[in-house]
Amino acid sequence: MAVEDWLKRLKLAPKSKGHVRALMSTLFKCAQRWELVANNPMQLVRVKNVSKRLERPSVLTAEEFHKLLLHVREPYRTMVLIAGCLGLRASEIVGLQWRDFDFQKSTLLVQRGVVHGRVDDVKTEYSRDSVPIAPELVKELM
């Protein structure tokens, strides 16, 4: 299939190729809705290894993380600190409110996320959870 061959030749990560395919499929769906085309040819197009990483993600050491924090200004420093210590998604961090923190019990209740400025539930049901906070992080946040 010509589109599959074209996607294979693109010098992009498999996930990016998957995004290109998905966008083209959406465009054809709109064309179908507007009765410009009869069917969506992108339904037949496959992209191999869409979820496969090309490179292993790099992980910062504790020392590298502390060095990084020295160069980040507020309010981003607090966001980076929470991300690094608790492993939350960016959307979950942006959705945090001070009332979500229980400093007496050293816990954080993750219950909302913000995507494109819209406040909504967290991405998955497993994300809505109480997360323990280390005493050092509690002290830093206070």
Side-chain angles (χ1 to χ4, degrees):
M1 177 171 256
V3 176
E4 278 186 16
D5 292 338
W6 173 73
L7 283 169
K8 285 177 190 172
R9 289 193 308 271
L10 289 178
K11 295 197 183 307
L12 296 173
K15 188 166 190 171
S16 297
K17 292 177 186 180
H19 289 305
V20 170
R21 185 222 163 270
L23 176 61
M24 290 176 71
S25 181
T26 301
L27 292 172
F28 274 104
K29 282 180 189 174
C30 289
Q32 277 183 293
R33 191 171 46 240
W34 300 329
E35 298 177 355
L36 299 172
V37 296
N39 62 353
N40 184 347
M42 296 307 294
Q43 289 176 326
L44 304 174
V45 175
R46 294 184 185 166
V47 178
K48 287 188 176 184
N49 300 320
V50 171
S51 61
K52 194 173 184 180
R53 292 185 186 271
L54 292 181
E55 296 177 12
R56 187 177 181 155
S58 59
V59 178
L60 296 178
T61 65
E63 183 180 310
E64 291 169 329
F65 183 69
H66 286 290
K67 285 181 182 178
L68 170 70
L69 281 176
L70 296 173
H71 301 283
V72 183
R73 286 188 258 164
E74 291 297 348
Y76 308 106
R77 182 184 181 282
T78 300
M79 296 167 82
V80 169
L81 186 63
I82 291 170
C85 293
L86 301 179
L88 300 181
R89 293 179 176 91
S91 61
E92 295 167 344
I93 293 169
V94 174
L96 290 176
Q97 297 176 2
W98 283 113
R99 66 177 181 236
D100 298 331
F101 291 87
D102 185 339
F103 292 111
Q104 306 306 100
K105 295 180 183 175
S106 294
T107 60
L108 166 65
L109 180 60
V110 180
Q111 50 189 347
R112 76 191 71 72
V114 177
V115 178
H116 301 297
R118 208 175 115 239
V119 179
D120 206 349
D121 285 336
V122 288
K123 188 173 180 178
T124 69
E125 63 180 271
Y126 302 106
S127 297
R128 182 184 303 279
D129 204 358
S130 185
V131 179
I133 307 173
E136 298 84 0
L137 180 56
V138 170
K139 183 179 173 187
E140 188 73 30
L141 293 172
M142 297 296 279

